[in-house]
Amino acid sequence: VNLLTRNMSGMAGPVASIIERKLTDMLKPSHLQIINESYMHSVPKNSETHFKVVVVSESFTDKKPLARHRLVNDVLKEELSSGVHALSINAFTPEQWDKGRQVDKSPNCMGGF
């Protein structure tokens, strides 16, 4: 698996590590990125509240985007109910990823939280 977990410090925090473990165990991804985007929002330094995940998995084959998102949300339901405020999901099949799919840059924080 091609795995990348990152935040501003370069070290994965405990929440990012749990997200990594759960997605790896349940979806067996060929590529997984977990990006802590909390620093882009109005939260304390070193927070783990806003994440982007890029997941490439055979589990998404024959699933529409909404079903893929529901699958990821279900895997991470505990985290989403206990501290993760926002989760941006980019879910691809290996075939889509191999065609050079690009992940869009996240928008700037509009306030809130």
Side-chain angles (χ1 to χ4, degrees):
V1 69
N2 182 5
L3 174 66
L4 174 63
T5 305
R6 68 175 187 233
N7 63 14
M8 288 304 289
S9 71
M11 300 291 293
V15 176
S17 296
I18 290 169
I19 291 171
E20 174 188 322
R21 180 181 50 80
K22 286 187 172 186
L23 291 176
T24 299
D25 289 350
M26 298 302 292
L27 301 178
K28 310 288 189 251
S30 57
H31 177 86
L32 177 61
Q33 287 178 271
I34 301 152
I35 304 158
N36 183 349
E37 296 184 330
S38 302
Y39 71 92
M40 298 168 61
H41 301 275
S42 299
V43 296
K45 188 175 179 175
N46 298 319
S47 291
E48 289 188 286
T49 55
H50 297 70
F51 287 92
K52 175 188 284 187
V53 296
V54 180
V55 187
V56 180
S57 174
E58 291 286 348
S59 300
F60 301 136
T61 302
D62 298 326
K63 287 186 173 54
K64 295 184 184 295
L66 182 58
R68 296 173 187 189
H69 284 228
R70 285 180 175 159
L71 183 58
V72 172
N73 282 327
D74 189 51
V75 170
L76 300 177
K77 64 185 166 196
E78 185 177 336
E79 290 68 34
L80 291 167
S81 68
S82 64
V84 174
H85 174 72
L87 180 66
S88 171
I89 301 168
N90 293 263
F92 304 103
T93 65
E95 293 78 22
Q96 290 172 319
W97 188 251
D98 289 343
K99 288 180 183 176
R101 290 298 296 246
Q102 298 241 333
V103 177
D104 295 331
K105 182 179 181 273
S106 295
N108 291 329
C109 179
M110 299 296 288
F113 194 72

